[in-house]
Amino acid sequence: MSGGAVVDRIVEAFNRRDLEAFASGYAEEIVIEDARGAVLVRGAHALRARYRSMFAASPGLACVVLSRVCVGEYVVDEERISGRSAEPERLVVVYHLAGGLVDHERIVR
C-alpha cells in the first residue's frame, strides 16, 4: 500500500471517529511532534488516549485534505480540521512511513 493510501485510510477513520481503524495506521512506537519538535504523543497507548478524548469531545470533527505531496517515505498534507473550535484549523502534517505504517508525524499549525 502506498504512503498516500495509508494516510487516506487514517484520514477516513479520523472522519468516522473510529479509534481502532485510525490507530491501525500507526506504528506501536509512533511519535507525534509539533512544529518545533515538542513531543505530543509517544507510543500507541498515548495515541489512543489522546484521540479517544478528542473524538468523544468533538462529534462534528472532520478533516479535509487540501493538497498532498508524496516523496519517498514521506506524505505531506495540507489539511483543514473542523469541529474542534468555532473556526476551522489549517495545518500541515508531515507523515513518515516505515513498514506500511506511520511511525513519525509532525504537525505544523
XYZ file of all heavy atoms in Angstrom:
834
model
N 0.847 -1.175 0.000
C 0.000 0.000 0.000
C 0.894 1.241 0.000
O 1.846 1.319 0.762
C -0.898 -0.045 1.247
C -1.838 1.117 1.349
S -2.928 1.090 2.804
C -3.891 -0.366 2.509
N 0.575 2.191 -0.847
C 1.375 3.415 -0.920
C 1.186 4.262 0.334
O 0.202 4.115 1.067
C 0.966 4.229 -2.147
O -0.290 4.852 -1.925
N 2.148 5.165 0.566
C 2.044 6.062 1.707
C 0.778 6.895 1.659
O 0.117 7.110 2.679
N 0.429 7.373 0.474
C -0.792 8.160 0.329
C -2.032 7.360 0.694
O -2.953 7.887 1.330
N -2.046 6.081 0.331
C -3.197 5.226 0.665
C -3.291 4.990 2.167
O -4.386 4.955 2.731
C -3.097 3.905 -0.087
N -2.147 4.835 2.825
C -2.141 4.654 4.283
C -2.709 5.900 4.956
O -3.567 5.815 5.837
C -0.713 4.358 4.805
C -0.665 4.396 6.326
C -0.225 3.018 4.282
N -2.256 7.077 4.528
C -2.735 8.322 5.122
C -4.215 8.529 4.793
O -4.984 8.973 5.651
C -1.861 9.519 4.704
C -2.448 10.833 5.208
C -0.438 9.333 5.230
N -4.638 8.167 3.585
C -6.067 8.243 3.250
C -6.890 7.415 4.233
O -7.941 7.853 4.700
C -6.340 7.736 1.834
C -6.011 8.739 0.757
O -5.889 9.950 1.065
O -5.874 8.314 -0.414
N -6.420 6.215 4.533
C -7.128 5.330 5.471
C -7.206 5.963 6.864
O -8.237 5.902 7.527
C -6.419 3.970 5.523
C -7.224 2.895 6.209
C -6.518 1.569 6.184
N -5.475 1.612 7.209
C -4.325 0.962 7.161
N -4.039 0.194 6.131
N -3.459 1.054 8.130
N -6.114 6.595 7.293
C -6.098 7.266 8.597
C -7.093 8.427 8.610
O -7.869 8.587 9.555
C -4.666 7.759 8.925
C -3.773 6.566 9.262
C -4.672 8.774 10.053
C -2.296 6.916 9.361
N -7.090 9.244 7.562
C -7.994 10.397 7.483
C -9.448 9.936 7.466
O -10.310 10.516 8.148
C -7.654 11.282 6.263
C -8.733 12.333 6.026
C -6.295 11.938 6.438
N -9.743 8.889 6.703
C -11.113 8.371 6.647
C -11.568 7.888 8.025
O -12.702 8.158 8.450
C -11.212 7.249 5.618
C -11.098 7.741 4.189
C -10.827 6.633 3.181
O -10.833 5.440 3.562
O -10.600 6.973 2.011
N -10.705 7.185 8.747
C -11.041 6.705 10.091
C -11.204 7.889 11.056
O -12.096 7.880 11.908
C -9.977 5.735 10.596
N -10.356 8.899 10.920
C -10.467 10.126 11.719
C -11.846 10.754 11.512
O -12.523 11.115 12.476
C -9.355 11.091 11.304
C -9.339 12.410 12.017
C -8.589 12.587 13.164
C -10.062 13.494 11.524
C -8.556 13.818 13.821
C -10.038 14.723 12.171
C -9.276 14.883 13.328
N -12.268 10.847 10.268
C -13.556 11.466 9.955
C -14.733 10.647 10.479
O -15.783 11.220 10.783
C -13.688 11.714 8.456
C -12.843 12.875 7.999
O -12.494 13.756 8.783
N -12.487 12.883 6.726
N -14.570 9.350 10.612
C -15.614 8.493 11.210
C -15.488 8.431 12.727
O -16.331 7.836 13.383
C -15.509 7.067 10.661
C -15.851 6.896 9.212
C -15.974 5.421 8.806
N -14.933 4.555 9.331
C -13.771 4.269 8.732
N -13.492 4.801 7.553
N -12.899 3.459 9.294
N -14.382 9.004 13.257
C -14.054 8.912 14.682
C -13.989 7.446 15.113
O -14.428 7.078 16.190
C -15.031 9.742 15.530
C -14.845 11.236 15.327
C -15.913 12.084 15.912
N -17.285 11.763 15.525
C -17.833 12.013 14.336
N -17.125 12.598 13.394
N -19.078 11.718 14.093
N -13.396 6.629 14.252
C -13.213 5.192 14.503
C -11.803 5.002 15.054
O -10.828 4.901 14.301
C -13.410 4.427 13.199
C -13.269 2.925 13.349
O -12.639 2.450 14.318
O -13.784 2.216 12.465
N -11.694 4.965 16.365
C -10.391 4.964 17.021
C -9.518 3.787 16.603
O -8.337 3.966 16.302
C -10.563 4.977 18.545
C -9.269 5.009 19.351
C -8.454 6.255 19.042
C -9.574 4.894 20.833
N -10.059 2.593 16.569
C -9.221 1.425 16.250
C -8.757 1.440 14.802
O -7.603 1.117 14.518
C -9.937 0.125 16.612
C -10.054 -0.078 18.110
C -8.730 0.102 18.866
O -7.704 -0.463 18.442
O -8.729 0.824 19.879
N -9.623 1.822 13.883
C -9.207 1.925 12.480
C -8.167 3.025 12.316
O -7.192 2.864 11.580
C -10.411 2.180 11.587
N -8.366 4.132 13.009
C -7.416 5.242 12.980
C -6.052 4.781 13.506
O -5.028 4.947 12.840
C -7.971 6.390 13.826
C -7.059 7.566 13.974
C -6.910 8.493 12.949
C -6.355 7.769 15.148
C -6.066 9.589 13.087
C -5.521 8.859 15.300
C -5.370 9.769 14.264
N -6.032 4.179 14.678
C -4.780 3.757 15.313
C -4.071 2.668 14.513
O -2.843 2.564 14.575
C -5.048 3.285 16.735
N -4.809 1.892 13.735
C -4.191 0.795 12.979
C -3.259 1.289 11.878
O -2.449 0.520 11.360
C -5.259 -0.128 12.385
O -5.909 0.498 11.285
N -3.317 2.572 11.538
C -2.418 3.134 10.541
C -1.087 3.593 11.115
O -0.201 4.014 10.373
N -0.947 3.490 12.433
C 0.249 3.973 13.126
C 1.051 2.814 13.718
O 0.476 1.833 14.188
C -0.143 4.931 14.259
C -0.676 6.247 13.771
C -2.036 6.436 13.551
C 0.178 7.311 13.508
C -2.536 7.644 13.099
C -0.303 8.529 13.060
C -1.658 8.682 12.857
O -2.134 9.892 12.399
N 2.354 3.001 13.735
C 3.253 2.025 14.366
C 3.091 2.088 15.884
O 2.712 3.125 16.436
C 4.703 2.343 13.986
N 3.398 1.006 16.565
C 3.325 0.958 18.035
C 4.202 2.033 18.677
O 3.867 2.563 19.716
C 3.720 -0.423 18.553
C 2.641 -1.468 18.390
C 1.398 -1.189 19.225
O 1.540 -0.836 20.419
O 0.294 -1.318 18.679
N 5.310 2.352 18.041
C 6.257 3.324 18.603
C 6.077 4.727 18.005
O 6.997 5.537 18.012
C 7.695 2.849 18.400
C 8.132 2.742 16.952
C 7.679 1.480 16.215
O 7.054 0.591 16.813
O 7.961 1.395 15.007
N 4.867 5.039 17.549
C 4.574 6.337 16.933
C 5.035 7.500 17.813
O 4.882 7.461 19.033
C 3.055 6.481 16.626
C 2.741 7.846 16.003
C 2.208 6.259 17.858
C 3.378 8.124 14.697
N 5.605 8.506 17.170
C 5.933 9.771 17.828
C 5.278 10.874 17.007
O 5.487 10.956 15.796
C 7.455 9.999 17.917
C 7.761 11.387 18.472
C 8.111 8.914 18.749
N 4.472 11.696 17.683
C 3.845 12.847 17.046
C 4.401 14.087 17.726
O 4.394 14.172 18.954
C 2.310 12.800 17.148
C 1.776 11.537 16.457
C 1.696 14.062 16.530
C 0.269 11.359 16.563
N 4.885 15.015 16.891
C 5.504 16.244 17.404
C 4.804 17.464 16.830
O 4.197 17.391 15.758
C 6.976 16.304 16.996
C 7.810 15.175 17.540
C 9.223 15.180 16.975
O 9.455 15.734 15.883
O 10.090 14.623 17.644
N 4.969 18.592 17.529
C 4.503 19.854 16.972
C 5.581 20.400 16.041
O 6.616 19.752 15.805
C 4.102 20.842 18.071
C 5.270 21.387 18.886
O 6.450 21.158 18.538
O 4.988 22.058 19.896
N 5.371 21.597 15.525
C 6.289 22.181 14.543
C 7.704 22.350 15.071
O 8.671 22.264 14.318
C 5.758 23.530 14.073
N 7.856 22.576 16.361
C 9.179 22.808 16.956
C 9.833 21.543 17.490
O 10.916 21.593 18.056
C 9.064 23.840 18.065
C 8.608 25.191 17.547
C 8.515 26.190 18.681
N 7.965 27.438 18.240
C 8.697 28.472 17.851
N 9.993 28.403 17.827
N 8.110 29.588 17.479
N 9.145 20.421 17.347
C 9.725 19.157 17.788
C 9.322 18.730 19.188
O 9.808 17.717 19.686
N 8.423 19.468 19.837
C 7.932 19.046 21.154
C 7.032 17.825 20.972
O 6.159 17.816 20.099
C 7.157 20.170 21.831
N 7.256 16.791 21.756
C 6.505 15.548 21.625
C 5.096 15.732 22.181
O 4.915 16.135 23.334
C 7.231 14.389 22.330
C 6.383 13.119 22.309
C 8.581 14.129 21.670
N 4.110 15.425 21.346
C 2.706 15.469 21.735
C 2.202 14.083 22.101
O 1.353 13.941 22.980
C 1.853 16.035 20.592
C 2.251 17.401 20.050
C 1.438 17.737 18.802
C 2.074 18.459 21.120
N 2.713 13.068 21.401
C 2.308 11.676 21.596
C 3.537 10.800 21.434
O 4.303 10.977 20.490
C 1.236 11.251 20.556
C 0.988 9.757 20.587
C -0.058 12.013 20.748
N 3.695 9.854 22.344
C 4.751 8.854 22.206
C 4.142 7.485 22.502
O 3.756 7.208 23.625
C 5.907 9.125 23.165
C 7.088 8.170 22.941
C 8.267 8.429 23.860
N 8.789 9.785 23.767
C 9.628 10.222 22.820
N 10.047 9.413 21.875
N 10.061 11.476 22.842
N 4.026 6.680 21.460
C 3.507 5.323 21.601
C 2.023 5.207 21.306
O 1.260 6.171 21.410
N 1.627 3.990 20.929
C 0.243 3.718 20.521
C -0.752 3.929 21.654
O -1.875 4.389 21.424
C 0.133 2.300 19.967
N -0.353 3.624 22.888
C -1.256 3.814 24.023
C -1.599 5.303 24.180
O -2.767 5.673 24.360
C -0.628 3.260 25.305
C -1.486 3.435 26.509
N -2.612 2.674 26.732
C -1.406 4.311 27.544
C -3.177 3.071 27.856
N -2.469 4.067 28.368
N -0.597 6.156 24.101
C -0.811 7.606 24.212
C -1.625 8.128 23.031
O -2.461 9.027 23.196
C 0.528 8.331 24.316
N -1.389 7.580 21.851
C -2.163 7.980 20.668
C -3.642 7.686 20.898
O -4.490 8.554 20.689
C -1.655 7.241 19.428
C -2.467 7.514 18.163
C -1.690 8.413 17.222
C -2.830 6.232 17.475
N -3.932 6.465 21.348
C -5.335 6.099 21.590
C -5.964 7.001 22.656
O -7.102 7.440 22.504
C -5.433 4.634 21.988
C -5.320 3.687 20.824
C -5.491 2.225 21.266
N -5.507 1.352 20.111
C -4.428 0.855 19.528
N -3.226 1.157 20.000
N -4.534 0.067 18.486
N -5.243 7.268 23.733
C -5.788 8.106 24.803
C -6.097 9.511 24.291
O -7.170 10.066 24.567
C -4.810 8.161 25.978
N -5.170 10.098 23.556
C -5.357 11.469 23.049
C -6.548 11.554 22.108
O -7.395 12.442 22.227
C -4.084 11.935 22.345
C -4.180 13.335 21.768
C -2.903 13.702 21.034
N -2.961 15.002 20.455
C -2.438 16.094 20.986
N -1.799 16.038 22.140
N -2.522 17.252 20.373
N -6.618 10.620 21.157
C -7.678 10.699 20.153
C -9.012 10.180 20.671
O -10.064 10.633 20.219
C -7.232 10.037 18.850
C -6.261 10.930 18.115
C -4.884 10.830 18.318
C -6.717 11.931 17.273
C -3.993 11.682 17.685
C -5.841 12.795 16.623
C -4.486 12.661 16.832
O -3.622 13.518 16.202
N -9.008 9.292 21.638
C -10.267 8.848 22.257
C -10.995 10.055 22.851
O -12.180 10.263 22.600
C -10.011 7.804 23.340
C -11.281 7.301 24.022
C -10.986 6.252 25.089
N -10.416 5.056 24.460
C -9.155 4.625 24.639
N -8.323 5.274 25.441
N -8.726 3.546 24.024
N -10.263 10.868 23.604
C -10.899 12.036 24.220
C -11.277 13.078 23.170
O -12.332 13.709 23.266
C -10.014 12.636 25.311
O -8.817 13.115 24.766
N -10.450 13.266 22.150
C -10.765 14.224 21.088
C -12.027 13.803 20.339
O -12.922 14.621 20.090
C -9.602 14.350 20.107
C -9.837 15.388 19.020
S -8.563 15.416 17.739
C -7.094 15.687 18.695
N -12.112 12.524 19.978
C -13.281 12.035 19.243
C -14.546 12.171 20.098
O -15.598 12.568 19.597
C -13.092 10.585 18.817
C -12.042 10.363 17.757
C -11.581 9.089 17.484
C -11.487 11.411 17.030
C -10.622 8.855 16.509
C -10.520 11.197 16.049
C -10.099 9.907 15.789
N -14.455 11.867 21.384
C -15.618 11.960 22.270
C -16.073 13.408 22.441
O -17.278 13.682 22.504
C -15.289 11.346 23.626
N -15.135 14.329 22.490
C -15.459 15.737 22.733
C -15.896 16.490 21.471
O -16.428 17.591 21.570
C -14.245 16.440 23.338
N -15.659 15.899 20.298
C -15.890 16.621 19.040
C -16.696 15.779 18.050
O -16.140 15.244 17.083
C -14.547 17.009 18.420
O -13.762 17.732 19.329
N -18.016 15.665 18.248
C -18.810 14.813 17.357
C -18.864 15.298 15.907
O -19.133 14.510 15.007
C -20.204 14.823 17.994
C -20.224 16.016 18.883
C -18.810 16.261 19.307
N -18.554 16.571 15.666
C -18.551 17.097 14.302
C -17.177 17.162 13.667
O -16.980 17.801 12.638
N -16.223 16.478 14.271
C -14.839 16.511 13.814
C -14.712 16.033 12.370
O -15.296 15.018 11.990
C -14.006 15.598 14.724
C -12.502 15.694 14.652
C -12.018 17.080 15.038
C -11.892 14.653 15.567
N -13.951 16.774 11.560
C -13.750 16.388 10.160
C -12.428 16.942 9.652
O -12.020 18.043 10.016
C -14.891 16.901 9.293
N -11.791 16.160 8.807
C -10.535 16.557 8.160
C -10.727 16.512 6.652
O -11.243 15.529 6.114
C -9.417 15.591 8.565
S -7.859 15.897 7.695
N -10.302 17.580 5.992
C -10.294 17.632 4.532
C -8.849 17.844 4.106
O -8.180 18.758 4.596
C -11.177 18.780 4.006
C -11.048 18.917 2.495
C -12.620 18.573 4.412
N -8.357 16.987 3.228
C -7.010 17.150 2.681
C -7.102 18.138 1.529
O -7.779 17.881 0.537
C -6.427 15.797 2.219
C -5.063 15.998 1.566
C -6.338 14.817 3.387
N -6.441 19.279 1.694
C -6.477 20.332 0.685
C -5.445 20.103 -0.411
O -5.684 20.440 -1.572
C -6.251 21.693 1.348
C -7.259 22.067 2.441
C -6.833 23.348 3.141
C -8.657 22.195 1.853
N -4.288 19.563 -0.030
C -3.254 19.232 -1.011
C -2.338 18.185 -0.405
O -2.273 18.030 0.816
C -2.460 20.474 -1.430
O -1.754 21.011 -0.328
N -1.625 17.479 -1.269
C -0.737 16.408 -0.814
C 0.463 16.290 -1.742
O 0.350 16.385 -2.960
C -1.484 15.080 -0.802
C -0.577 13.895 -0.465
C -1.324 12.606 -0.304
N -2.066 12.668 0.960
C -3.062 11.869 1.266
N -3.473 10.955 0.404
N -3.669 11.969 2.426
N 1.618 16.027 -1.115
C 2.845 15.711 -1.845
C 3.389 14.426 -1.221
O 3.491 14.315 0.002
C 3.886 16.846 -1.716
C 5.188 16.456 -2.385
C 3.348 18.144 -2.283
N 3.728 13.462 -2.057
C 4.339 12.212 -1.598
C 5.754 12.143 -2.169
O 5.936 12.264 -3.384
C 3.542 11.002 -2.079
S 1.847 10.949 -1.458
N 6.737 11.980 -1.277
C 8.131 11.893 -1.681
C 8.771 10.763 -0.879
O 8.936 10.891 0.345
C 8.892 13.216 -1.424
C 10.350 13.084 -1.841
C 8.234 14.380 -2.129
N 9.096 9.676 -1.551
C 9.727 8.551 -0.872
C 8.886 8.051 0.285
O 7.724 7.687 0.111
N 9.448 8.082 1.500
C 8.774 7.583 2.702
C 7.897 8.644 3.360
O 7.358 8.407 4.441
C 9.823 7.113 3.714
C 10.705 6.003 3.210
C 11.891 5.734 4.127
O 12.261 6.602 4.940
O 12.448 4.633 4.019
N 7.759 9.813 2.734
C 7.031 10.929 3.342
C 5.754 11.256 2.582
O 5.711 11.202 1.353
C 7.906 12.187 3.384
C 9.041 12.059 4.352
C 10.260 11.528 3.947
C 8.882 12.434 5.685
C 11.300 11.388 4.849
C 9.929 12.291 6.581
C 11.133 11.771 6.162
O 12.163 11.622 7.051
N 4.738 11.622 3.356
C 3.498 12.185 2.817
C 3.316 13.511 3.538
O 3.348 13.564 4.770
C 2.291 11.259 3.083
C 0.996 11.913 2.613
C 2.492 9.899 2.417
N 3.148 14.581 2.766
C 2.976 15.915 3.343
C 1.609 16.427 2.901
O 1.357 16.597 1.710
C 4.090 16.887 2.880
C 3.889 18.254 3.500
C 5.465 16.318 3.204
N 0.733 16.627 3.888
C -0.622 17.089 3.612
C -0.827 18.499 4.126
O -0.357 18.848 5.212
C -1.658 16.214 4.347
C -1.977 14.918 3.634
O -1.444 14.681 2.534
O -2.769 14.142 4.201
N -1.576 19.278 3.381
C -2.186 20.497 3.903
C -3.615 20.091 4.231
O -4.336 19.574 3.358
C -2.165 21.612 2.863
C -2.848 22.871 3.348
C -2.962 23.929 2.265
O -2.639 23.657 1.091
O -3.413 25.037 2.602
N -4.013 20.262 5.482
C -5.314 19.784 5.937
C -6.114 20.914 6.588
O -5.546 21.856 7.137
C -5.147 18.652 6.957
C -4.419 17.444 6.384
C -4.157 16.346 7.391
O -4.482 16.501 8.580
O -3.607 15.310 6.972
N -7.427 20.774 6.513
C -8.325 21.671 7.227
C -9.143 20.812 8.189
O -9.826 19.874 7.774
C -9.258 22.417 6.276
C -10.118 23.463 7.001
C -11.016 24.250 6.076
N -11.949 23.356 5.421
C -12.109 23.260 4.106
N -11.400 23.994 3.279
N -12.980 22.423 3.597
N -9.042 21.129 9.486
C -9.743 20.391 10.526
C -10.879 21.268 11.042
O -10.647 22.411 11.460
C -8.814 20.033 11.709
C -7.564 19.294 11.232
C -9.568 19.238 12.771
C -7.804 17.933 10.654
N -12.081 20.743 11.029
C -13.218 21.469 11.576
C -13.873 20.621 12.659
O -13.627 19.421 12.760
C -14.226 21.808 10.474
O -14.663 20.638 9.829
N -14.686 21.293 13.482
C -15.424 20.584 14.516
C -14.791 20.612 15.886
O -15.339 20.045 16.829
N -13.643 21.273 16.031
C -12.988 21.388 17.337
C -13.144 22.772 17.931
O -13.048 22.944 19.132
C -11.497 21.064 17.223
C -11.235 19.604 16.972
C -9.782 19.289 17.015
N -9.256 19.531 18.349
C -7.974 19.598 18.645
N -7.074 19.460 17.706
N -7.576 19.806 19.864
N -13.320 23.757 17.087
C -13.471 25.138 17.547
C -14.397 25.857 16.569
O -14.825 25.275 15.571
C -12.100 25.824 17.621
O -11.489 25.823 16.352
N -14.682 27.113 16.857
C -15.608 27.877 16.022
C -15.115 27.996 14.582
O -15.897 27.943 13.642
C -15.826 29.261 16.621
N -13.813 28.154 14.415
C -13.229 28.304 13.080
C -12.402 27.068 12.730
O -11.699 26.532 13.583
C -12.321 29.539 13.035
C -13.060 30.843 13.214
C -14.019 31.130 12.086
O -13.662 30.895 10.907
O -15.144 31.583 12.383
N -12.449 26.628 11.475
C -11.595 25.502 11.073
C -10.110 25.842 11.239
O -9.711 26.998 11.108
C -11.919 25.302 9.592
C -13.253 25.954 9.391
C -13.306 27.087 10.387
N -9.313 24.830 11.536
C -7.859 24.985 11.645
C -7.230 24.557 10.327
O -7.633 23.549 9.747
C -7.285 24.060 12.723
C -7.658 24.370 14.123
C -7.016 23.356 15.050
O -5.823 23.510 15.374
O -7.720 22.402 15.417
N -6.226 25.278 9.901
C -5.451 24.883 8.729
C -4.090 24.468 9.230
O -3.466 25.170 10.023
C -5.324 26.057 7.768
C -4.629 25.696 6.503
C -4.746 26.831 5.496
N -3.702 26.677 4.526
C -2.702 27.524 4.350
N -2.622 28.613 5.068
N -1.788 27.291 3.446
N -3.641 23.295 8.799
C -2.344 22.817 9.246
C -1.662 22.008 8.169
O -2.277 21.605 7.190
C -2.481 22.005 10.538
C -3.584 20.965 10.615
C -3.000 19.578 10.561
C -4.319 21.160 11.913
N -0.373 21.808 8.372
C 0.430 20.945 7.516
C 0.869 19.769 8.382
O 1.313 19.965 9.514
C 1.656 21.692 6.947
C 2.591 20.734 6.216
C 1.208 22.811 6.017
N 0.700 18.573 7.854
C 1.099 17.376 8.581
C 2.104 16.619 7.725
O 1.849 16.334 6.555
C -0.109 16.477 8.909
C 0.334 15.279 9.735
C -1.194 17.257 9.625
N 3.261 16.333 8.327
C 4.311 15.573 7.653
C 4.319 14.185 8.268
O 4.620 14.020 9.454
C 5.691 16.246 7.815
C 6.762 15.428 7.100
C 5.649 17.681 7.301
N 3.948 13.191 7.472
C 3.895 11.801 7.909
C 5.138 11.077 7.395
O 5.480 11.213 6.219
C 2.680 11.084 7.315
C 1.333 11.677 7.650
C 0.744 12.648 6.841
C 0.620 11.228 8.757
C -0.516 13.160 7.127
C -0.645 11.730 9.057
C -1.203 12.697 8.227
O -2.450 13.197 8.519
N 5.784 10.304 8.240
C 6.860 9.417 7.797
C 6.363 7.994 7.958
O 5.831 7.620 9.012
C 8.142 9.609 8.612
C 9.220 8.675 8.167
N 9.469 7.466 8.782
C 10.078 8.753 7.128
C 10.446 6.846 8.147
N 10.825 7.618 7.137
N 6.544 7.198 6.911
C 6.083 5.815 6.937
C 7.244 4.844 6.920
O 8.246 5.066 6.228
C 5.175 5.533 5.742
C 3.805 6.191 5.870
C 3.781 7.520 5.185
C 2.727 5.279 5.372
N 7.094 3.785 7.693
C 8.049 2.674 7.706
C 7.239 1.397 7.855
O 6.354 1.321 8.711
C 9.041 2.815 8.856
N 7.505 0.436 7.006
C 6.779 -0.825 7.090
C 5.287 -0.687 6.874
O 4.499 -1.451 7.430
N 4.870 0.291 6.089
C 3.460 0.468 5.782
C 2.649 1.158 6.866
O 1.427 1.210 6.781
N 3.326 1.708 7.883
C 2.652 2.413 8.973
C 3.332 3.747 9.231
O 4.528 3.901 8.985
C 2.691 1.583 10.259
C 1.994 0.228 10.224
C 2.300 -0.554 11.496
C 0.485 0.392 10.032
N 2.580 4.691 9.757
C 3.153 5.983 10.145
C 3.904 5.778 11.451
O 3.328 5.331 12.445
C 2.064 7.057 10.299
C 2.661 8.361 10.814
C 1.341 7.280 8.979
N 5.198 6.088 11.440
C 5.994 5.943 12.665
C 6.411 7.302 13.239
O 6.875 7.388 14.374
C 7.201 5.046 12.460
C 8.259 5.628 11.536
O 7.973 6.611 10.819
O 9.371 5.089 11.511
N 6.219 8.352 12.461
C 6.537 9.700 12.931
C 5.629 10.683 12.202
O 5.371 10.537 11.016
C 7.992 10.059 12.638
C 8.399 11.375 13.227
N 8.351 12.539 12.504
C 8.817 11.721 14.465
C 8.741 13.547 13.282
N 9.017 13.080 14.473
N 5.145 11.671 12.960
C 4.258 12.677 12.392
C 4.627 14.021 13.009
O 4.859 14.112 14.208
C 2.815 12.302 12.739
C 1.748 13.212 12.197
C 0.356 12.692 12.527
O 0.048 11.537 12.167
O -0.410 13.427 13.165
N 4.689 15.029 12.171
C 4.936 16.393 12.654
C 3.770 17.258 12.204
O 3.419 17.275 11.028
C 6.238 16.938 12.107
C 6.481 18.358 12.627
C 7.904 18.755 12.646
N 8.650 17.982 13.639
C 9.916 18.206 13.913
N 10.571 19.159 13.301
N 10.541 17.477 14.801
N 3.189 17.982 13.162
C 2.017 18.811 12.896
C 2.431 20.278 13.001
O 2.912 20.715 14.041
C 0.894 18.516 13.897
C 0.478 17.028 13.803
C -0.302 19.429 13.643
C -0.473 16.580 14.888
N 2.239 21.004 11.902
C 2.589 22.417 11.843
C 1.294 23.203 11.797
O 0.499 23.041 10.867
C 3.445 22.731 10.596
C 3.821 24.207 10.552
C 4.688 21.845 10.562
N 1.071 24.042 12.816
C -0.139 24.874 12.898
C 0.182 26.312 12.568
O 1.141 26.832 12.912
C -0.730 24.835 14.299
C -1.304 23.499 14.673
C -1.996 23.582 16.023
N -2.646 22.503 16.634
C -2.984 21.330 16.188
N -2.728 21.009 15.017
N -3.591 20.435 16.894
